[in-house]
Amino acid sequence: MKTFYLETFGCQMNAHDSEKVVGTLVGQGYEQVDEPAAAELVLYNTCSIRDKAEQKVFHRLQQFKREGGRGKVIGLLGCVAQQEGEKIFERAPFVNLVCGSASYNRFSELLVQIENGARRVTGLSLDTQDTFETPLTRRDNPNRAFLTIIEGCDKACSYCVVPFTRGPERSRTSQSVLREARELADMGYTEIQLLGQNVNSYRDPSAAGLNFAQLLNKVGQVPGIRRVRFTTSHPRDFTKDIIDAIDENPVLCNHVHLPVQSGSNSTLSRMQRLYTRDEYLRRIEWMKKSSRNIAITTDIIVGFPGETEAEFAETLALIDEVEYESMFSFKYSPRPNTAAVKMDDSLDETEKSRRLTIVQEKQRAIQIRRNAELIGSREEVMIEGFNKNTLQWIGRTSQHRTLNFTALEDASLKVGEYRHVLVTRSGPNSLVGELA
Ligand code: SF4
């Protein structure tokens, strides 16, 4: 039996791509193993969103340098593969396969070339209208299923590598998305997470011509599906009908991740984000007026080239104004091929770290206060696991909050079930409760 090892770095898109790559390999008679040492085929699905992520991959490859990859086929997939391309063979001559995500439909064929003796093969074209769909997908999460609806991105945010590593936007037909959603429900999944670099710009290429809000609603009507989530949204394409859909259909989770990146118009303009602070806040207002009490989360970049103290203060003021449920915050990291890499990145690491700490401390205080407001409330959770150390069940609310709770032994709870929990305590990142 041919064996393979696959390690995945980066975002949910990469995680789901890996699920499909594994499905392709298993379909071609390969068996997955847990250690690279035990595998004939060693694959890394890579991320290049920040320099650190990229360095991790080349560090992993070092272990094969000594043996020169003898007796193994070594492959790089994903964003670093696409970004660096054939240069990877110079930097790591023992690598045999380099394939970007826009070429995954050719992955089987590349494997056959390797099996037929080819020493180096590549899949690096971005010129495609295809989306990566496989007959077999090995899903890691038994309760929540990823479902990609759109790949690539047509935006050009000046700090972002995605357009260069994942190619132009291409949406799947609504028929193929809904067929997969029904198959997932038949497999017993109750929660679906729709994925895309920018799900809001979904445009159904079929005659049905659904937009994102219409597709979201249709997925939310698939029998057996109790929760539908989606990520990632872009404020420019985030339309009111998405909120209307969430208001009308309780299956659509009341959580929206809407990355703002900065609260300053001048920084947003240098970032080429295509919206202003006011246009962004208008979308926040739609959500705050919703009858579904929508949880709002975001991404923030600090230390973007040229970010003045005044611009940074505008970001802090926006955080105070929106009061996010949670946030991912990062220091600006220059990336190859992006417009920002040519900008004067004069803020030193110490200053970037100082600003990041201020943002994170401010957000932490907001989360402590907002989570405390939920003490005494009754929340429905999907049970995701059991923590043997704390003897607590791990639940997730529709708002995407973690709610750890206790239950009497005879409560006969199961992972994947939905139960109501009374919130008794709270912390900065999670809630604590007892089975209601
Ligand atoms: S919308 Fe901007 S940040 Fe998001 S993937 Fe596209 S280019 Fe990158």
Side-chain angles (χ1 to χ4, degrees):
M1 173 69 94
K2 299 174 285 186
T3 55
F4 75 95
Y5 169 83
L6 171 61
E7 185 172 349
T8 303
F9 299 84
C11 65
Q12 292 169 325
M13 286 292 285
N14 259 15
H16 189 40
D17 284 344
S18 286
E19 292 181 330
K20 293 187 262 185
V21 166
V22 169
T24 305
L25 285 158
V26 169
Q28 255 172 270
Y30 282 79
E31 183 190 341
Q32 189 164 19
V33 293
D34 297 336
E35 290 300 325
E40 291 157 67
L41 170 64
V42 177
L43 296 170
Y44 294 103
N45 186 1
T46 62
C47 167
S48 71
I49 204 75
R50 268 170 290 283
D51 187 48
K52 217 159 100 202
E54 183 180 330
Q55 294 321 318
K56 266 192 205 155
V57 178
F58 287 104
H59 180 70
R60 278 285 189 295
L61 289 176
Q62 286 311 311
Q63 65 184 300
F64 298 107
K65 193 166 183 184
R66 280 181 297 286
E67 310 109 24
R70 250 188 306 285
K72 292 185 186 302
V73 173
I74 297 170
L76 248 60
L77 310 178
C79 293
V80 176
Q82 185 67 48
Q83 175 186 292
E84 299 302 310
E86 309 246 353
K87 282 188 285 172
I88 289 167
F89 295 135
E90 293 150 33
R91 200 165 163 185
F94 44 82
V95 169
N96 310 97
L97 181 152
V98 175
C99 183
S101 61
S103 302
Y104 284 157
N105 283 334
R106 293 189 49 229
F107 185 63
S108 301
E109 170 209 323
L110 298 176
L111 272 180
V112 170
Q113 288 175 25
I114 293 271
E115 287 164 4
N116 295 341
R119 224 175 66 69
R120 289 180 171 171
V121 296
T122 61
L124 294 170
S125 165
L126 287 177
D127 177 17
T128 177
Q129 281 311 309
D130 293 346
T131 51
F132 181 32
E133 296 173 44
T134 53
L136 191 60
T137 299
R138 166 76 66 75
R139 293 180 184 276
D140 298 329
N141 185 320
N143 304 303
R144 177 187 307 145
F146 291 139
L147 200 173
T148 298
I149 63 169
I150 180 170
E151 294 189 36
C153 186
D154 288 352
K155 297 276 185 298
C157 303
S158 60
Y159 52 83
C160 184
V161 290
V162 170
F164 309 100
T165 60
R166 285 185 168 272
E169 270 166 18
R170 53 255 189 227
S171 298
R172 288 176 64 182
T173 64
S174 55
Q175 293 78 8
S176 76
V177 170
L178 292 168
R179 185 177 55 250
E180 187 172 345
R182 286 189 291 272
E183 286 164 4
L184 289 167
D186 295 345
M187 289 157 66
Y189 279 94
T190 60
E191 183 166 322
I192 287 178
Q193 175 136 11
L194 303 179
L195 293 181
Q197 305 300 147
N198 176 4
V199 289
N200 307 148
S201 60
Y202 173 83
R203 288 295 169 276
D204 180 3
S206 80
L210 303 187
N211 68 17
F212 175 63
Q214 293 161 332
L215 181 74
L216 186 61
N217 224 349
K218 291 247 183 232
V219 175
Q221 289 160 6
V222 170
I225 297 301
R226 293 184 62 166
R227 285 184 174 177
V228 178
R229 301 183 184 281
F230 56 90
T231 196
T232 299
S233 290
H234 188 289
R236 172 70 179 239
D237 305 317
F238 194 87
T239 46
K240 178 77 172 42
D241 53 1
I242 299 168
I243 302 298
D244 299 341
I246 293 174
D247 278 350
E248 282 147 30
N249 186 344
V251 170
L252 305 183
C253 289
N254 50 342
H255 166 231
V256 171
H257 185 67
L258 196 62
V260 68
Q261 307 299 4
S262 170
S264 146
N265 283 338
S266 44
T267 307
L268 288 171
S269 155
R270 294 197 304 282
M271 286 177 166
Q272 297 172 185
R273 288 290 285 170
L274 306 178
Y275 54 84
T276 63
R277 180 193 172 97
D278 288 351
E279 286 163 345
Y280 180 85
L281 288 172
R282 197 165 312 128
R283 282 142 182 83
I284 297 296
E285 207 181 317
W286 296 341
M287 290 187 243
K288 293 207 179 223
K289 285 202 176 121
S290 156
S291 57
R292 290 278 314 280
N293 187 18
I294 295 176
I296 310 169
T297 58
T298 198
D299 296 344
I300 296 261
I301 294 175
V302 299
F304 188 75
E307 186 185 60
T308 62
E309 266 302 334
E311 289 174 333
F312 178 56
E314 290 180 283
T315 295
L316 297 178
L318 181 126
I319 294 171
D320 284 333
E321 185 165 346
V322 178
E323 296 198 320
Y324 293 102
E325 257 72 28
S326 73
M327 168 195 296
F328 297 102
S329 50
F330 312 96
K331 291 186 280 185
Y332 168 71
S333 169
R335 305 309 301 134
N337 308 319
T338 61
V341 83
K342 303 185 195 75
M343 297 179 188
D344 169 21
D345 181 19
S346 51
L347 288 167
D348 63 26
E349 277 307 303
T350 315
E351 177 53 19
K352 288 179 185 174
S353 301
R354 183 188 73 85
R355 292 181 186 189
L356 187 64
T357 304
I358 292 171
V359 163
Q360 291 175 344
E361 283 173 358
K362 175 180 283 294
Q363 183 55 31
R364 182 182 160 81
I366 290 170
Q367 287 176 213
I368 289 170
R369 186 164 43 71
R370 301 215 56 163
N371 285 345
E373 289 162 3
L374 291 171
I375 293 174
S377 70
R378 200 182 144 93
E379 302 283 336
E380 185 194 53
V381 298
M382 190 241 262
I383 302 175
E384 295 190 334
F386 183 75
N387 184 326
K388 293 196 181 75
N389 302 325
T390 62
L391 301 180
Q392 288 174 317
W393 291 90
I394 303 161
R396 181 146 324 257
T397 70
S398 174
Q399 286 190 327
H400 208 252
R401 292 172 194 269
T402 302
L403 175 40
N404 302 312
F405 65 99
T406 52
L408 299 174
E409 272 193 39
D410 59 0
S412 64
L413 301 181
K414 286 195 202 66
V415 172
E417 279 182 353
Y418 291 76
R419 292 298 183 99
H420 284 88
V421 176
L422 189 62
V423 178
T424 54
R425 283 183 294 122
S426 68
N429 302 314
S430 62
L431 306 168
V432 176
E434 52 196 45
L435 189 65

